[in-house]
Structure formats: C-alpha cells, structure tokens
Amino acid sequence: MKSALQIWHPFTNRALDPTPLMVRRAEGAYLYTDDGRKIIDAISSWWVNLHGHANPRIAAAVAQQARKLEHVILAGFTHEAAEELATRLRKWVAGPLAHVFFSDDGSTAVEVALKMAVQYFRNLGQAEKCEIVALAHGYHGDTAGAMSVSDESPFTEPFQSMRYPVHRVHSAYCYRCPVGLKRETCHIECARQLEELLAERGQRIAAVIVEPLLQGAGGMIVHPADFLQRVRELCTKHDVLLIADEVLTGFGRTGKMFACDLANVVPDLMCLSKGLTGGFMAMGATLCTDRLEQAFRSENRMHTFYHGHSYTGNALACAAANANLQIFEDEPVFDRIAAIAKINAERLAHLRGRDQVGDTRQLGTMGAIELVVEDTGYLSAMRPKLYAFFLGRGVLLRPLGNVVYVLPPYVIEPDELHRVYDVIDQAIETLL
Ligand SMILES: Cc1ncc(COP(=O)(O)O)c(C=O)c1O
C-alpha cells in the first residue's frame, strides 16, 4: 500500500524547522494539540482569527449555508449570501467604495486591484498609464503580481526573474527613518520621493499601493497618519489610483474598522481578506469606486474585466463573512479591541526602556517590539530561538526576524494577553 502524501508546509524547511504540531481542536484564543498542550494563539493564526477559534455563531452559519447552497459559479449567477455580504460591507466602508469583486485570499485581492487599476486607464484610452508604485518594506502576498509590489526579501529573492518592475519609494519607517530625520520634528519628508516621482512620471503611473498605517510582514512598521494622507493628496493631484491593501489592517485590527478610517482617507481600491470571514474560510474582496467600475461598463467587450477564480464568491465563505459582520453588530467587539490596545500600550511602555529593545510600535490590537540584534531582518538567527522559546511556554508567536509582535484574537482575556507579554519579557531576559 502506498504511504500517505507528505504535506509540504508553508514557510517551512524540513531540514531546519521543527515537525509541525498536530492540532486536535481549538477554542477561543487556544489551540489544543495532540500531545496535550494548550497553546495561546497570539498571532490569530496568521492574522485571520477575530472572534475566537471555532466560534459557534460562525460555525452554525457555515453549516446552515452548506445545507442550502455550497457554491455556484458567480459569472451569470448570484446568490443570497453574496448579496447579503455586499450589503453588509457597504455599511462599513467609505461612501465612494460602491463595488466589490470577490476572490480567494489576500494575494488574489491584491492581484485584482492591480489589474483593475491598469485596465481602468486602458479602457479610458490611456494605456500608457500602467506603471505601479509600491513602498519599501511592503508585503502584499506571494503570487507573482503581489510579489512584484512587495519589497525585496528572502520571500522574493529566488523569484527575481518573475517579478515585474515597479517603482519603489520610501515608507515612513520612523525608527529607521529613510531620510535621517526624527519623527518629533519632521514634516513627513519621506513622502518627497513619491512626490517627485509622481511629478515626473505621473502620466505613466496607474496606481500607488500601500498597506495603510501598518506594514505587517515587513516588520510591523507603523506609519504616522500624515504619511497616508500625503500619499492620498499626491495620488489625487496626479490622477493616480490609491490602492489600500487592508488585508491585515481590516476588520478592527487597528482600532477602527479599517486603517483608512483612522486617517480619514478614502482609497480608490481597497483589498480585504484575512479577518473578512473571521478566520473561517479563505476569501478575498477588492472594493472600488463607481468611477472606476464605470470604465468597465461599455459596449466594447474588450473593456470587460476578464478575471475570476473558480471559487469566487463562494457561498460558505460569504456565510462566514456575514456571521462575522453580524458579531460586529451584536457584540462589544470594539470594547474588546480597546481592552487589548490598552494592555499593549501598558506592556510596551515597560519594555521600551530595556537595552535589548530598540523600538516598540503599536496600532490597536497590534503590539511590536524591535529587538537589538546584530543580524536584523527576517533571517535573523534570533528568530528560530525566540519561536521555540515562546512555543515551549505555550505561546504561539512567529517573530518577523528580530521583530516580535502580538496580534491576538479579539476574545483573548486580559490575563491571557498578560501571560503572552510575560513570556516575551522572559525571552528578552534569557535570550538577549
Ligand atoms: C497586507 C497583506 N496583503 C496581502 C497578503 C496576502 O494574503 P494571503 O496570504 O491571504 O494571500 C498579506 C498576508 O499576510 C498581507 O499581510
């Protein structure tokens, strides 16, 4: 008899990394493993979980939907769960974002936004306006287009030949200011590079893509709101579309429903995924303005957006997303978020003074600590040591190189979150 296929785990090297742990079940903020461990999921399983694992309300909604309609092709057909989701999302997003295009995950939501931006100008007869601008330290996913707009990193290095060229401009990484200034006295001079680029080449540029206010995988870098506002102003001035990749920041992560809301910025395109289904189902969504969508409504068939995935608008994913948004309406979700933010702020304030801590950063439920080590970056030798230390003490944290961050499900209890920070404290004392 043939043996079972070996699972090839993501971001995992079988020669170097520990054997994956078998998870039997999960509940709230906890994972329960086969070998009897109870682990706090302090990163919401790659930032997707909001209201706790195996949330009974979302589970019931998915089960109910599965008995009615599991999936139907979304070209030429629609269904109640998708229509309901479009209506529910409309309530939360800024007024001008009037259309939603469903896809499969964060990367495909980004691919859709990039392709829409390029085809938008083509449909208007401005095919030369097709270049993309992205930020240093950005991360937008692992598919080829998303990888192209992501900054160079160990994730992209082997695929240099597959990445199409984009313009890369400074981000507002205040701890390592790209223009050598101090946040307290600066005037967002880091945005000048974008300003100059758009002044010079604006006629050829279709879009600027940003992770609004918080660059996640690039090191949990928090931007001042002025930076995002400046990017918006510059895009408007040069008739360039602003794509806000809210895949990480959406659904309350930053303290508001969307990071753009914190800065009072309305993008032309917005990418959503991760928290969209409360962590239950893979789903992406790209929202856009009416002005943008109108350019695709045309007598010319070649103006059609020829893009779609087999599972686009999957009914089970829509049902999970609807239940997720219903929880936002019925339960004190933003109080839970505020409670997490408060503990993050308190604990980071204590860590800030330590010699081993270079910087602390926070935005809502995300708290990050940039450690002082010799080899910074994702491949820092400190990363696997920290990971093992945390896991050995019942806490799942996956440092981004020398940046340790906490990003818990909103249902984490205060004592559980304090426990996570206690373990981080111990790691700093023991390993650095
Ligand atoms: C900002 C951002 N965009 C896009 C993605 C890609 O999402 P996915 O992994 O679902 O393809 C991620 C994933 O971490 C992300 O953080």
Side-chain angles (χ1 to χ4, degrees), residues 11 46-48 104-110 138-143 146 150 209-212 214-217 220 245-249 271 273-274 282-283:
F11 288 85
W46 261 338
W47 322 342
V48 300
D104 293 353
D105 48 39
S107 299
T108 48
V110 167
Y139 176 78
H140 299 282
D142 292 343
T143 53
S150 301
I209 182 165
V210 299
E211 290 162 89
L214 174 61
Q215 291 185 295
M220 293 295 162
D245 176 354
E246 294 247 15
V247 167
L248 157 62
T249 49
C271 307
S273 185
K274 295 207 186 267
M283 181 175 216

PDB file of all heavy atoms in Angstrom, residues 11 46-48 104-110 138-143 146 150 209-212 214-217 220 245-249 271 273-274 282-283, ligand 1:
ATOM      1  N   PHE A  11       6.298  28.099   4.311  1.00  0.00           N
ATOM      2  CA  PHE A  11       7.346  28.805   5.072  1.00  0.00           C
ATOM      3  C   PHE A  11       8.096  27.852   6.009  1.00  0.00           C
ATOM      4  O   PHE A  11       8.476  28.227   7.106  1.00  0.00           O
ATOM      5  CB  PHE A  11       6.740  29.963   5.886  1.00  0.00           C
ATOM      6  CG  PHE A  11       6.300  31.126   5.045  1.00  0.00           C
ATOM      7  CD1 PHE A  11       5.056  31.139   4.447  1.00  0.00           C
ATOM      8  CD2 PHE A  11       7.145  32.202   4.829  1.00  0.00           C
ATOM      9  CE1 PHE A  11       4.651  32.209   3.651  1.00  0.00           C
ATOM     10  CE2 PHE A  11       6.755  33.277   4.035  1.00  0.00           C
ATOM     11  CZ  PHE A  11       5.500  33.276   3.448  1.00  0.00           C
ATOM     12  N   TRP A  46      -1.933  33.517  11.695  1.00  0.00           N
ATOM     13  CA  TRP A  46      -1.592  34.362  10.531  1.00  0.00           C
ATOM     14  C   TRP A  46      -2.609  35.471  10.336  1.00  0.00           C
ATOM     15  O   TRP A  46      -3.033  35.768   9.230  1.00  0.00           O
ATOM     16  CB  TRP A  46      -1.377  33.536   9.257  1.00  0.00           C
ATOM     17  CG  TRP A  46       0.089  33.300   8.971  1.00  0.00           C
ATOM     18  CD1 TRP A  46       1.124  34.052   9.427  1.00  0.00           C
ATOM     19  CD2 TRP A  46       0.671  32.263   8.182  1.00  0.00           C
ATOM     20  NE1 TRP A  46       2.324  33.546   8.971  1.00  0.00           N
ATOM     21  CE2 TRP A  46       2.067  32.447   8.212  1.00  0.00           C
ATOM     22  CE3 TRP A  46       0.146  31.189   7.464  1.00  0.00           C
ATOM     23  CZ2 TRP A  46       2.952  31.624   7.539  1.00  0.00           C
ATOM     24  CZ3 TRP A  46       1.022  30.361   6.798  1.00  0.00           C
ATOM     25  CH2 TRP A  46       2.416  30.571   6.830  1.00  0.00           C
ATOM     26  N   TRP A  47      -3.063  36.025  11.470  1.00  0.00           N
ATOM     27  CA  TRP A  47      -3.811  37.289  11.492  1.00  0.00           C
ATOM     28  C   TRP A  47      -5.237  37.173  10.977  1.00  0.00           C
ATOM     29  O   TRP A  47      -5.852  38.179  10.628  1.00  0.00           O
ATOM     30  CB  TRP A  47      -3.072  38.385  10.697  1.00  0.00           C
ATOM     31  CG  TRP A  47      -1.569  38.371  10.834  1.00  0.00           C
ATOM     32  CD1 TRP A  47      -0.837  37.753  11.806  1.00  0.00           C
ATOM     33  CD2 TRP A  47      -0.598  38.998   9.980  1.00  0.00           C
ATOM     34  NE1 TRP A  47       0.510  37.958  11.619  1.00  0.00           N
ATOM     35  CE2 TRP A  47       0.688  38.721  10.493  1.00  0.00           C
ATOM     36  CE3 TRP A  47      -0.692  39.775   8.840  1.00  0.00           C
ATOM     37  CZ2 TRP A  47       1.874  39.178   9.912  1.00  0.00           C
ATOM     38  CZ3 TRP A  47       0.489  40.241   8.254  1.00  0.00           C
ATOM     39  CH2 TRP A  47       1.755  39.938   8.782  1.00  0.00           C
ATOM     40  N   VAL A  48      -5.761  35.952  10.933  1.00  0.00           N
ATOM     41  CA  VAL A  48      -7.103  35.806  10.351  1.00  0.00           C
ATOM     42  C   VAL A  48      -8.222  35.749  11.389  1.00  0.00           C
ATOM     43  O   VAL A  48      -9.347  36.159  11.126  1.00  0.00           O
ATOM     44  CB  VAL A  48      -7.202  34.549   9.443  1.00  0.00           C
ATOM     45  CG1 VAL A  48      -6.219  34.633   8.301  1.00  0.00           C
ATOM     46  CG2 VAL A  48      -7.020  33.253  10.217  1.00  0.00           C
ATOM     47  N   ASP A 104     -10.079  34.995  -3.710  1.00  0.00           N
ATOM     48  CA  ASP A 104      -9.843  33.823  -2.847  1.00  0.00           C
ATOM     49  C   ASP A 104      -9.052  34.078  -1.567  1.00  0.00           C
ATOM     50  O   ASP A 104      -9.091  33.265  -0.643  1.00  0.00           O
ATOM     51  CB  ASP A 104      -9.068  32.770  -3.640  1.00  0.00           C
ATOM     52  CG  ASP A 104      -9.889  32.193  -4.767  1.00  0.00           C
ATOM     53  OD1 ASP A 104     -11.092  32.516  -4.834  1.00  0.00           O
ATOM     54  OD2 ASP A 104      -9.337  31.436  -5.575  1.00  0.00           O
ATOM     55  N   ASP A 105      -8.237  35.121  -1.553  1.00  0.00           N
ATOM     56  CA  ASP A 105      -7.352  35.346  -0.406  1.00  0.00           C
ATOM     57  C   ASP A 105      -6.752  36.739  -0.542  1.00  0.00           C
ATOM     58  O   ASP A 105      -7.126  37.484  -1.464  1.00  0.00           O
ATOM     59  CB  ASP A 105      -6.236  34.273  -0.342  1.00  0.00           C
ATOM     60  CG  ASP A 105      -5.566  34.083  -1.685  1.00  0.00           C
ATOM     61  OD1 ASP A 105      -5.363  35.082  -2.388  1.00  0.00           O
ATOM     62  OD2 ASP A 105      -5.258  32.927  -2.032  1.00  0.00           O
ATOM     63  N   GLY A 106      -5.793  37.068   0.301  1.00  0.00           N
ATOM     64  CA  GLY A 106      -5.221  38.409   0.247  1.00  0.00           C
ATOM     65  C   GLY A 106      -4.446  38.648  -1.035  1.00  0.00           C
ATOM     66  O   GLY A 106      -4.547  39.721  -1.654  1.00  0.00           O
ATOM     67  N   SER A 107      -3.680  37.662  -1.468  1.00  0.00           N
ATOM     68  CA  SER A 107      -2.867  37.838  -2.679  1.00  0.00           C
ATOM     69  C   SER A 107      -3.749  38.077  -3.894  1.00  0.00           C
ATOM     70  O   SER A 107      -3.460  38.957  -4.717  1.00  0.00           O
ATOM     71  CB  SER A 107      -2.002  36.592  -2.927  1.00  0.00           C
ATOM     72  OG  SER A 107      -1.132  36.384  -1.849  1.00  0.00           O
ATOM     73  N   THR A 108      -4.815  37.320  -4.020  1.00  0.00           N
ATOM     74  CA  THR A 108      -5.668  37.497  -5.205  1.00  0.00           C
ATOM     75  C   THR A 108      -6.458  38.806  -5.115  1.00  0.00           C
ATOM     76  O   THR A 108      -6.727  39.432  -6.143  1.00  0.00           O
ATOM     77  CB  THR A 108      -6.611  36.295  -5.446  1.00  0.00           C
ATOM     78  OG1 THR A 108      -7.264  35.967  -4.221  1.00  0.00           O
ATOM     79  CG2 THR A 108      -5.864  35.100  -5.970  1.00  0.00           C
ATOM     80  N   ALA A 109      -6.784  39.247  -3.900  1.00  0.00           N
ATOM     81  CA  ALA A 109      -7.448  40.553  -3.759  1.00  0.00           C
ATOM     82  C   ALA A 109      -6.517  41.656  -4.269  1.00  0.00           C
ATOM     83  O   ALA A 109      -6.951  42.623  -4.901  1.00  0.00           O
ATOM     84  CB  ALA A 109      -7.839  40.809  -2.306  1.00  0.00           C
ATOM     85  N   VAL A 110      -5.216  41.484  -4.029  1.00  0.00           N
ATOM     86  CA  VAL A 110      -4.216  42.453  -4.498  1.00  0.00           C
ATOM     87  C   VAL A 110      -4.053  42.355  -6.021  1.00  0.00           C
ATOM     88  O   VAL A 110      -4.029  43.369  -6.723  1.00  0.00           O
ATOM     89  CB  VAL A 110      -2.864  42.225  -3.776  1.00  0.00           C
ATOM     90  CG1 VAL A 110      -1.734  42.983  -4.444  1.00  0.00           C
ATOM     91  CG2 VAL A 110      -2.975  42.625  -2.307  1.00  0.00           C
ATOM     92  N   GLY A 138       7.196  46.918   1.975  1.00  0.00           N
ATOM     93  CA  GLY A 138       5.818  46.450   1.755  1.00  0.00           C
ATOM     94  C   GLY A 138       5.762  44.944   1.574  1.00  0.00           C
ATOM     95  O   GLY A 138       6.715  44.302   1.109  1.00  0.00           O
ATOM     96  N   TYR A 139       4.627  44.389   1.931  1.00  0.00           N
ATOM     97  CA  TYR A 139       4.343  42.968   1.647  1.00  0.00           C
ATOM     98  C   TYR A 139       2.882  42.857   1.236  1.00  0.00           C
ATOM     99  O   TYR A 139       1.991  43.340   1.944  1.00  0.00           O
ATOM    100  CB  TYR A 139       4.611  42.075   2.872  1.00  0.00           C
ATOM    101  CG  TYR A 139       4.216  40.635   2.607  1.00  0.00           C
ATOM    102  CD1 TYR A 139       5.037  39.794   1.864  1.00  0.00           C
ATOM    103  CD2 TYR A 139       2.997  40.131   3.059  1.00  0.00           C
ATOM    104  CE1 TYR A 139       4.670  38.486   1.577  1.00  0.00           C
ATOM    105  CE2 TYR A 139       2.617  38.819   2.779  1.00  0.00           C
ATOM    106  CZ  TYR A 139       3.458  38.004   2.036  1.00  0.00           C
ATOM    107  OH  TYR A 139       3.076  36.720   1.743  1.00  0.00           O
ATOM    108  N   HIS A 140       2.655  42.224   0.071  1.00  0.00           N
ATOM    109  CA  HIS A 140       1.278  42.145  -0.431  1.00  0.00           C
ATOM    110  C   HIS A 140       0.881  40.738  -0.832  1.00  0.00           C
ATOM    111  O   HIS A 140      -0.176  40.559  -1.430  1.00  0.00           O
ATOM    112  CB  HIS A 140       1.104  43.102  -1.611  1.00  0.00           C
ATOM    113  CG  HIS A 140       1.352  44.542  -1.243  1.00  0.00           C
ATOM    114  ND1 HIS A 140       0.435  45.311  -0.570  1.00  0.00           N
ATOM    115  CD2 HIS A 140       2.441  45.345  -1.418  1.00  0.00           C
ATOM    116  CE1 HIS A 140       0.922  46.531  -0.373  1.00  0.00           C
ATOM    117  NE2 HIS A 140       2.147  46.574  -0.861  1.00  0.00           N
ATOM    118  N   GLY A 141       1.714  39.737  -0.556  1.00  0.00           N
ATOM    119  CA  GLY A 141       1.327  38.367  -0.876  1.00  0.00           C
ATOM    120  C   GLY A 141       2.381  37.652  -1.697  1.00  0.00           C
ATOM    121  O   GLY A 141       3.411  38.223  -2.064  1.00  0.00           O
ATOM    122  N   ASP A 142       2.092  36.395  -2.027  1.00  0.00           N
ATOM    123  CA  ASP A 142       3.097  35.523  -2.619  1.00  0.00           C
ATOM    124  C   ASP A 142       2.855  35.150  -4.077  1.00  0.00           C
ATOM    125  O   ASP A 142       3.667  34.451  -4.678  1.00  0.00           O
ATOM    126  CB  ASP A 142       3.203  34.232  -1.785  1.00  0.00           C
ATOM    127  CG  ASP A 142       3.790  34.508  -0.416  1.00  0.00           C
ATOM    128  OD1 ASP A 142       4.402  35.577  -0.243  1.00  0.00           O
ATOM    129  OD2 ASP A 142       3.634  33.658   0.483  1.00  0.00           O
ATOM    130  N   THR A 143       1.733  35.550  -4.665  1.00  0.00           N
ATOM    131  CA  THR A 143       1.542  35.290  -6.094  1.00  0.00           C
ATOM    132  C   THR A 143       2.403  36.296  -6.871  1.00  0.00           C
ATOM    133  O   THR A 143       2.892  37.271  -6.290  1.00  0.00           O
ATOM    134  CB  THR A 143       0.060  35.428  -6.472  1.00  0.00           C
ATOM    135  OG1 THR A 143      -0.405  36.699  -6.015  1.00  0.00           O
ATOM    136  CG2 THR A 143      -0.776  34.325  -5.844  1.00  0.00           C
ATOM    137  N   ALA A 146       1.498  40.125  -6.703  1.00  0.00           N
ATOM    138  CA  ALA A 146       1.592  40.588  -5.308  1.00  0.00           C
ATOM    139  C   ALA A 146       3.053  40.598  -4.863  1.00  0.00           C
ATOM    140  O   ALA A 146       3.496  41.494  -4.131  1.00  0.00           O
ATOM    141  CB  ALA A 146       0.751  39.699  -4.402  1.00  0.00           C
ATOM    142  N   SER A 150       5.505  43.693  -3.572  1.00  0.00           N
ATOM    143  CA  SER A 150       6.156  43.530  -2.266  1.00  0.00           C
ATOM    144  C   SER A 150       7.622  43.907  -2.409  1.00  0.00           C
ATOM    145  O   SER A 150       8.209  43.750  -3.475  1.00  0.00           O
ATOM    146  CB  SER A 150       6.071  42.068  -1.811  1.00  0.00           C
ATOM    147  OG  SER A 150       4.732  41.660  -1.714  1.00  0.00           O
ATOM    148  N   ILE A 209       0.264  51.500  -4.416  1.00  0.00           N
ATOM    149  CA  ILE A 209      -0.311  50.535  -3.467  1.00  0.00           C
ATOM    150  C   ILE A 209       0.387  50.678  -2.124  1.00  0.00           C
ATOM    151  O   ILE A 209       1.624  50.756  -2.063  1.00  0.00           O
ATOM    152  CB  ILE A 209      -0.246  49.082  -4.008  1.00  0.00           C
ATOM    153  CG1 ILE A 209      -0.916  48.127  -2.993  1.00  0.00           C
ATOM    154  CG2 ILE A 209       1.164  48.615  -4.339  1.00  0.00           C
ATOM    155  CD1 ILE A 209      -1.231  46.752  -3.555  1.00  0.00           C
ATOM    156  N   VAL A 210      -0.415  50.734  -1.062  1.00  0.00           N
ATOM    157  CA  VAL A 210       0.150  50.840   0.292  1.00  0.00           C
ATOM    158  C   VAL A 210      -0.587  49.906   1.239  1.00  0.00           C
ATOM    159  O   VAL A 210      -1.757  49.592   1.022  1.00  0.00           O
ATOM    160  CB  VAL A 210       0.023  52.280   0.871  1.00  0.00           C
ATOM    161  CG1 VAL A 210       0.767  53.289   0.013  1.00  0.00           C
ATOM    162  CG2 VAL A 210      -1.425  52.703   1.030  1.00  0.00           C
ATOM    163  N   GLU A 211       0.113  49.501   2.279  1.00  0.00           N
ATOM    164  CA  GLU A 211      -0.545  48.914   3.442  1.00  0.00           C
ATOM    165  C   GLU A 211      -0.822  50.123   4.340  1.00  0.00           C
ATOM    166  O   GLU A 211       0.119  50.708   4.884  1.00  0.00           O
ATOM    167  CB  GLU A 211       0.391  47.941   4.153  1.00  0.00           C
ATOM    168  CG  GLU A 211       0.684  46.655   3.408  1.00  0.00           C
ATOM    169  CD  GLU A 211       1.932  45.973   3.958  1.00  0.00           C
ATOM    170  OE1 GLU A 211       1.825  45.173   4.899  1.00  0.00           O
ATOM    171  OE2 GLU A 211       3.039  46.262   3.449  1.00  0.00           O
ATOM    172  N   PRO A 212      -2.058  50.525   4.505  1.00  0.00           N
ATOM    173  CA  PRO A 212      -2.320  51.780   5.213  1.00  0.00           C
ATOM    174  C   PRO A 212      -1.965  51.720   6.703  1.00  0.00           C
ATOM    175  O   PRO A 212      -2.398  50.814   7.412  1.00  0.00           O
ATOM    176  CB  PRO A 212      -3.830  51.988   5.020  1.00  0.00           C
ATOM    177  CG  PRO A 212      -4.372  50.645   4.679  1.00  0.00           C
ATOM    178  CD  PRO A 212      -3.287  49.879   4.023  1.00  0.00           C
ATOM    179  N   LEU A 214      -0.027  50.501   8.651  1.00  0.00           N
ATOM    180  CA  LEU A 214       0.714  49.402   9.276  1.00  0.00           C
ATOM    181  C   LEU A 214       1.247  48.455   8.209  1.00  0.00           C
ATOM    182  O   LEU A 214       0.479  47.770   7.530  1.00  0.00           O
ATOM    183  CB  LEU A 214      -0.219  48.633  10.231  1.00  0.00           C
ATOM    184  CG  LEU A 214       0.343  47.357  10.860  1.00  0.00           C
ATOM    185  CD1 LEU A 214       1.571  47.646  11.721  1.00  0.00           C
ATOM    186  CD2 LEU A 214      -0.727  46.640  11.696  1.00  0.00           C
ATOM    187  N   GLN A 215       2.573  48.437   8.065  1.00  0.00           N
ATOM    188  CA  GLN A 215       3.191  47.460   7.174  1.00  0.00           C
ATOM    189  C   GLN A 215       3.468  46.217   8.009  1.00  0.00           C
ATOM    190  O   GLN A 215       4.255  46.264   8.959  1.00  0.00           O
ATOM    191  CB  GLN A 215       4.481  48.025   6.593  1.00  0.00           C
ATOM    192  CG  GLN A 215       4.222  49.172   5.615  1.00  0.00           C
ATOM    193  CD  GLN A 215       5.498  49.662   4.952  1.00  0.00           C
ATOM    194  OE1 GLN A 215       6.374  50.199   5.622  1.00  0.00           O
ATOM    195  NE2 GLN A 215       5.611  49.502   3.648  1.00  0.00           N
ATOM    196  N   GLY A 216       2.796  45.137   7.668  1.00  0.00           N
ATOM    197  CA  GLY A 216       2.809  43.948   8.523  1.00  0.00           C
ATOM    198  C   GLY A 216       4.060  43.107   8.392  1.00  0.00           C
ATOM    199  O   GLY A 216       4.996  43.210   9.196  1.00  0.00           O
ATOM    200  N   ALA A 217       4.096  42.253   7.367  1.00  0.00           N
ATOM    201  CA  ALA A 217       5.184  41.280   7.253  1.00  0.00           C
ATOM    202  C   ALA A 217       6.550  41.949   7.117  1.00  0.00           C
ATOM    203  O   ALA A 217       7.580  41.346   7.422  1.00  0.00           O
ATOM    204  CB  ALA A 217       4.925  40.354   6.072  1.00  0.00           C
ATOM    205  N   MET A 220       6.083  44.993  10.989  1.00  0.00           N
ATOM    206  CA  MET A 220       5.099  45.687  11.843  1.00  0.00           C
ATOM    207  C   MET A 220       5.525  47.156  12.033  1.00  0.00           C
ATOM    208  O   MET A 220       5.763  47.639  13.137  1.00  0.00           O
ATOM    209  CB  MET A 220       4.940  44.982  13.200  1.00  0.00           C
ATOM    210  CG  MET A 220       4.315  43.617  13.075  1.00  0.00           C
ATOM    211  SD  MET A 220       2.616  43.712  12.463  1.00  0.00           S
ATOM    212  CE  MET A 220       2.349  42.014  11.917  1.00  0.00           C
ATOM    213  N   ASP A 245      -4.195  48.298   0.679  1.00  0.00           N
ATOM    214  CA  ASP A 245      -4.203  46.865   0.981  1.00  0.00           C
ATOM    215  C   ASP A 245      -4.505  46.718   2.473  1.00  0.00           C
ATOM    216  O   ASP A 245      -3.612  46.797   3.307  1.00  0.00           O
ATOM    217  CB  ASP A 245      -2.846  46.262   0.604  1.00  0.00           C
ATOM    218  CG  ASP A 245      -2.742  44.791   0.981  1.00  0.00           C
ATOM    219  OD1 ASP A 245      -3.665  44.273   1.627  1.00  0.00           O
ATOM    220  OD2 ASP A 245      -1.716  44.172   0.642  1.00  0.00           O
ATOM    221  N   GLU A 246      -5.786  46.500   2.775  1.00  0.00           N
ATOM    222  CA  GLU A 246      -6.234  46.370   4.172  1.00  0.00           C
ATOM    223  C   GLU A 246      -6.386  44.898   4.556  1.00  0.00           C
ATOM    224  O   GLU A 246      -7.172  44.553   5.439  1.00  0.00           O
ATOM    225  CB  GLU A 246      -7.568  47.108   4.379  1.00  0.00           C
ATOM    226  CG  GLU A 246      -7.480  48.615   4.228  1.00  0.00           C
ATOM    227  CD  GLU A 246      -7.722  49.375   5.544  1.00  0.00           C
ATOM    228  OE1 GLU A 246      -7.679  48.761   6.626  1.00  0.00           O
ATOM    229  OE2 GLU A 246      -7.939  50.605   5.455  1.00  0.00           O
ATOM    230  N   VAL A 247      -5.624  44.040   3.873  1.00  0.00           N
ATOM    231  CA  VAL A 247      -5.737  42.600   4.138  1.00  0.00           C
ATOM    232  C   VAL A 247      -5.429  42.295   5.609  1.00  0.00           C
ATOM    233  O   VAL A 247      -6.129  41.519   6.259  1.00  0.00           O
ATOM    234  CB  VAL A 247      -4.824  41.811   3.175  1.00  0.00           C
ATOM    235  CG1 VAL A 247      -4.655  40.370   3.615  1.00  0.00           C
ATOM    236  CG2 VAL A 247      -5.410  41.868   1.759  1.00  0.00           C
ATOM    237  N   LEU A 248      -4.399  42.935   6.135  1.00  0.00           N
ATOM    238  CA  LEU A 248      -4.074  42.764   7.556  1.00  0.00           C
ATOM    239  C   LEU A 248      -4.875  43.739   8.425  1.00  0.00           C
ATOM    240  O   LEU A 248      -5.410  43.361   9.470  1.00  0.00           O
ATOM    241  CB  LEU A 248      -2.566  42.989   7.770  1.00  0.00           C
ATOM    242  CG  LEU A 248      -2.115  43.383   9.186  1.00  0.00           C
ATOM    243  CD1 LEU A 248      -2.447  42.287  10.193  1.00  0.00           C
ATOM    244  CD2 LEU A 248      -0.629  43.670   9.218  1.00  0.00           C
ATOM    245  N   THR A 249      -4.935  44.996   7.999  1.00  0.00           N
ATOM    246  CA  THR A 249      -5.443  46.044   8.891  1.00  0.00           C
ATOM    247  C   THR A 249      -6.966  46.083   9.005  1.00  0.00           C
ATOM    248  O   THR A 249      -7.495  46.705   9.926  1.00  0.00           O
ATOM    249  CB  THR A 249      -4.952  47.424   8.400  1.00  0.00           C
ATOM    250  OG1 THR A 249      -5.220  47.523   6.990  1.00  0.00           O
ATOM    251  CG2 THR A 249      -3.465  47.603   8.628  1.00  0.00           C
ATOM    252  N   CYS A 271      -8.288  46.393  -0.672  1.00  0.00           N
ATOM    253  CA  CYS A 271      -8.186  44.928  -0.679  1.00  0.00           C
ATOM    254  C   CYS A 271      -8.484  44.391   0.718  1.00  0.00           C
ATOM    255  O   CYS A 271      -7.907  44.874   1.698  1.00  0.00           O
ATOM    256  CB  CYS A 271      -6.778  44.490  -1.057  1.00  0.00           C
ATOM    257  SG  CYS A 271      -6.197  45.226  -2.577  1.00  0.00           S
ATOM    258  N   SER A 273      -9.208  40.672   3.127  1.00  0.00           N
ATOM    259  CA  SER A 273      -9.179  39.205   3.242  1.00  0.00           C
ATOM    260  C   SER A 273      -9.020  38.892   4.735  1.00  0.00           C
ATOM    261  O   SER A 273      -9.635  39.577   5.546  1.00  0.00           O
ATOM    262  CB  SER A 273      -8.052  38.614   2.403  1.00  0.00           C
ATOM    263  OG  SER A 273      -8.113  37.213   2.437  1.00  0.00           O
ATOM    264  N   LYS A 274      -8.205  37.939   5.092  1.00  0.00           N
ATOM    265  CA  LYS A 274      -7.909  37.579   6.485  1.00  0.00           C
ATOM    266  C   LYS A 274      -9.149  37.636   7.382  1.00  0.00           C
ATOM    267  O   LYS A 274      -9.925  36.698   7.407  1.00  0.00           O
ATOM    268  CB  LYS A 274      -6.775  38.453   7.009  1.00  0.00           C
ATOM    269  CG  LYS A 274      -5.447  38.183   6.270  1.00  0.00           C
ATOM    270  CD  LYS A 274      -4.262  38.489   7.110  1.00  0.00           C
ATOM    271  CE  LYS A 274      -2.963  38.371   6.351  1.00  0.00           C
ATOM    272  NZ  LYS A 274      -2.328  37.074   6.462  1.00  0.00           N
ATOM    273  N   ALA A 282     -11.197  30.844   3.398  1.00  0.00           N
ATOM    274  CA  ALA A 282     -10.353  31.675   2.551  1.00  0.00           C
ATOM    275  C   ALA A 282     -11.241  32.518   1.657  1.00  0.00           C
ATOM    276  O   ALA A 282     -12.115  31.991   0.976  1.00  0.00           O
ATOM    277  CB  ALA A 282      -9.453  30.788   1.698  1.00  0.00           C
ATOM    278  N   MET A 283     -11.021  33.824   1.684  1.00  0.00           N
ATOM    279  CA  MET A 283     -11.809  34.702   0.823  1.00  0.00           C
ATOM    280  C   MET A 283     -11.105  36.048   0.670  1.00  0.00           C
ATOM    281  O   MET A 283     -10.527  36.546   1.638  1.00  0.00           O
ATOM    282  CB  MET A 283     -13.179  34.933   1.456  1.00  0.00           C
ATOM    283  CG  MET A 283     -14.068  35.809   0.609  1.00  0.00           C
ATOM    284  SD  MET A 283     -15.719  35.953   1.277  1.00  0.00           S
ATOM    285  CE  MET A 283     -16.651  35.995  -0.242  1.00  0.00           C
TER     286      MET A 283
HETATM  287  C1  LIG B   1      -1.015  43.327   3.742  1.00  0.00           C
HETATM  288  C2  LIG B   1      -1.119  41.965   3.138  1.00  0.00           C
HETATM  289  N1  LIG B   1      -1.553  41.838   1.877  1.00  0.00           N
HETATM  290  C3  LIG B   1      -1.701  40.646   1.293  1.00  0.00           C
HETATM  291  C4  LIG B   1      -1.380  39.484   1.971  1.00  0.00           C
HETATM  292  C5  LIG B   1      -1.526  38.143   1.294  1.00  0.00           C
HETATM  293  O1  LIG B   1      -2.601  37.460   1.818  1.00  0.00           O
HETATM  294  P1  LIG B   1      -2.741  35.879   1.616  1.00  0.00           P
HETATM  295  O2  LIG B   1      -1.667  35.259   2.432  1.00  0.00           O
HETATM  296  O3  LIG B   1      -4.112  35.579   2.122  1.00  0.00           O
HETATM  297  O4  LIG B   1      -2.603  35.603   0.164  1.00  0.00           O
HETATM  298  C6  LIG B   1      -0.931  39.563   3.283  1.00  0.00           C
HETATM  299  C7  LIG B   1      -0.586  38.350   4.030  1.00  0.00           C
HETATM  300  O5  LIG B   1      -0.013  38.352   5.069  1.00  0.00           O
HETATM  301  C8  LIG B   1      -0.797  40.831   3.881  1.00  0.00           C
HETATM  302  O6  LIG B   1      -0.349  40.981   5.131  1.00  0.00           O
END
